[in-house]
Amino acid sequence: MAEFEQIEGRFDYIIIGSGSAGSVLARRLSEDGSSRILILEAGTDKGSIFVDMPSALSIPMNTRRYNWGLKTEPEPHLGNRIMNLPRGKGVGGSSLINGMCYVRGNPLDYERWAFLGASGWNWSNVLPYFKRAETVRDDPGEHRGTAGPLNISAPQGRNPLFPTFLEAGRDAGYAISANMNDAQHEGFSPMEMTVSDGIRWSAARAYLKPSLKTGRVRVMTGALVEKILIENGRAKGVLFERGGKSYQANADREVILSAGSIMSPTILKRSGIGPGEELRQHGIDVRMESCGVGANLMDHLELYIQQECTQSVSLYKWMNALGKAYIGGSWLLTRKGLGATNHFEAGAHIRSKAGIGYPDIQFHFLPLAISYDGSSMAQSEGFQVHVGTKRSKSRGNVSLRSSSARDMPKVVFNYMSHADDWADMRRCVEYTREVFAQPSFDPFRGRELKPGSSTSADDELNEFIRANVESAYHPCGTCRMGSDEMAVTGPDCKVHGVDALRVIDASIMPQATAGDLNGPTIMLAEKAADIIRGHASLTDPDAPIPIDAKWRDRQRSRSVDKDISHDPKEIEAIMQAEPPVRMSHEQTDMEVAGA
């Protein structure tokens, strides 16, 4: 081993990563008044007005200062396309570069976690932690938090296209929810954002920065973790590089890995925890054989269905140098106006077909026809939805490129490798077109820009999907909780077979939730902090689980008012209606039919 310097001081906990999970853990673990915490962050702690300004979200997303700059390997079922994979790098992690959409997910997402082996993570067990995290200022509902670190804002509601989208959903026969994060997730609804007084409310701003004032939390930026040090089956510390030198820091209690769904399994593998054959190929001593590390990789894919707008009400007129300067200048002076919103102010969660018990398709509505990362824009007034499936059956893998921390891992999502995903994506196009065709949109609807009205046959839609589908940037599942041979962590977030080591971030999710992942990741860390501290788990035995009573027979309903929170047989029936995807020890491509 190369020579290294020992970091001075003693630490109870070392947290790898200062993102949405790491920031939460630092604050909560420091609350006992005695714990000493070291956070190792590969990125910077320097901010930017483009990070703070919500509508400028595509700028930090495309800036290497805040983004690891990852790309996938060629995706075999998407014509070998190499996909963009932005992952946050810096104090705040991906909460510095995300779209700020706040979505808890559906209550049945967490029943599915428990069904897949994460006992104690049912909806009744996680709702109190969502509430503990939140401060909802605008008309909080019965099931919301009002005193948490995470400030959540309601949409501005100024653009007429947002209420039009919601009314079109009602016209198409879907339920309307006053707030998808309160009692009813399913249906068309306004969307909340992690914005406070016009500023991006990152996890670092919400949790980490206040904890630094205690003097019990130390952050080392520019710290590239090489590996976790394991002796006699116990994590004792971390070896990392900083400024061209190697350093070691030791943890008296635990090492906590919160580096995200791509970097957490990569660090585990470099530390000797993972599939033995892969580790030996890179000259890494196997400390703990764990075949599930890096497997079970899942994501949310989405399509942009774009429509021309016949009135000058979209954001198109602002997408020039003068318009952007006006938005930016107004925001700098007042923290208000178009600069103070992420522009995703309306959305929906619907079911793909009868026999699906809770939503597996999500819409984000945007009053502009543009790609998520801002790299391409339609040359006319327009609007769009980002639409995609939430429980894809395709699974991928994160593997090592080498044993060096300087080499980024190989990431293959294996997108669209299951035949069901193609049928579900085609339904996404069908349902979007149906919503846009409703009378509510008559005053605004022009021609369909993308995919174009002539694209209708299955083979034509498949080709459109193959060429245009994009990641929603929600990777998860690569160190999932459970008790079977492919599970990496238990419900207590401990790594199986290694003492004093936990993984706490989106990588331990057994299944992606029906919505954006930032909110669930923060909740996950809130609950995990209580587990670490030995606190009694918060629970709400009356946490409601509303569904469409006739979910077996219909794809949509205006009524989502049957509470099954005390009906375990009905919950079981919904779980069994969608058999879980099980990954073998080796990443394999599933047979693709009709694509």
Side-chain angles (χ1 to χ4, degrees), residues 315-338:
L315 299 175
Y316 180 71
K317 60 181 170 292
W318 300 101
M319 296 296 104
N320 54 64
L322 187 60
K324 291 178 180 179
Y326 177 82
I327 292 172
S330 297
W331 179 83
L332 283 170
L333 290 172
T334 68
R335 297 297 191 264
K336 296 180 180 179
L338 292 176

Side-chain angles (χ1 to χ4, degrees), residues 50-177:
F50 297 116
V51 170
D52 290 343
M53 181 178 173
S55 70
L57 63 93
S58 66
I59 296 176
M61 187 181 291
N62 289 292
T63 302
R64 284 301 298 269
R65 184 181 194 177
Y66 303 108
N67 178 7
W68 282 94
L70 294 169
K71 304 283 186 181
T72 71
E73 300 300 297
E75 286 291 338
H77 301 285
L78 297 179
N80 287 323
R81 289 170 59 199
I82 295 174
M83 311 283 279
N84 194 25
L85 181 57
R87 293 286 85 203
K89 182 181 181 182
V91 175
S94 290
S95 72
L96 297 176
I97 67 171
N98 69 353
M100 292 157 282
C101 297
Y102 184 76
V103 184
R104 286 172 163 184
N106 192 279
L108 284 160
D109 285 323
Y110 305 100
E111 298 302 310
R112 185 169 296 281
W113 284 16
F115 177 72
L116 294 174
S119 58
W121 289 84
N122 302 76
W123 177 238
S124 61
N125 305 124
V126 305
L127 175 58
Y129 291 99
F130 277 116
K131 293 172 72 173
R132 187 168 82 176
E134 299 170 344
T135 286
V136 181
R137 297 177 177 176
D138 306 287
D139 191 24
E142 178 184 356
H143 307 289
R144 307 305 305 280
T146 58
L150 188 67
N151 290 343
I152 297 164
S153 297
Q156 294 182 357
R158 296 175 180 175
N159 193 297
L161 291 171
F162 291 125
T164 298
F165 176 72
L166 301 181
E167 188 60 33
R170 186 195 302 273
D171 291 344
Y174 294 101
I176 297 293
S177 173

Side-chain angles (χ1 to χ4, degrees), residues 213-292:
K213 298 176 183 178
T214 67
R216 294 186 292 275
V217 178
R218 178 181 178 186
V219 179
M220 296 189 71
T221 57
L224 185 63
V225 170
E226 298 178 21
K227 62 181 179 179
I228 298 162
L229 300 171
I230 300 169
E231 289 186 4
N232 300 318
R234 179 183 176 86
K236 61 167 286 187
V238 180
L239 189 68
F240 63 98
E241 177 189 320
R242 189 172 190 245
K245 295 183 179 179
S246 288
Y247 296 88
Q248 178 178 332
N250 293 334
D252 290 346
R253 295 186 188 175
E254 295 187 9
V255 174
I256 303 171
L257 182 52
S258 298
S261 295
I262 307 302
M263 294 306 183
S264 283
T266 303
I267 291 171
L268 285 181
K269 288 182 177 184
R270 286 203 302 265
S271 307
I273 303 168
E277 182 178 352
E278 179 186 353
L279 302 187
R280 286 186 284 269
Q281 286 175 353
H282 295 286
I284 298 171
D285 292 336
V286 179
R287 301 287 184 177
M288 178 65 198
E289 178 94 20
S290 182
C291 53

Side-chain angles (χ1 to χ4, degrees), residues 471-512:
S471 171
Y473 311 142
H474 299 157
C476 61
T478 49
C479 301
R480 72 170 176 85
M481 290 187 282
S483 57
D484 60 275
E485 63 177 0
M486 291 298 290
V488 178
T489 52
D492 56 4
C493 310
K494 290 183 178 179
V495 175
H496 291 311
V498 182
D499 291 333
L501 176 61
R502 299 185 207 243
V503 181
I504 302 171
D505 55 32
S507 71
I508 69 173
M509 294 180 179
Q511 171 67 55

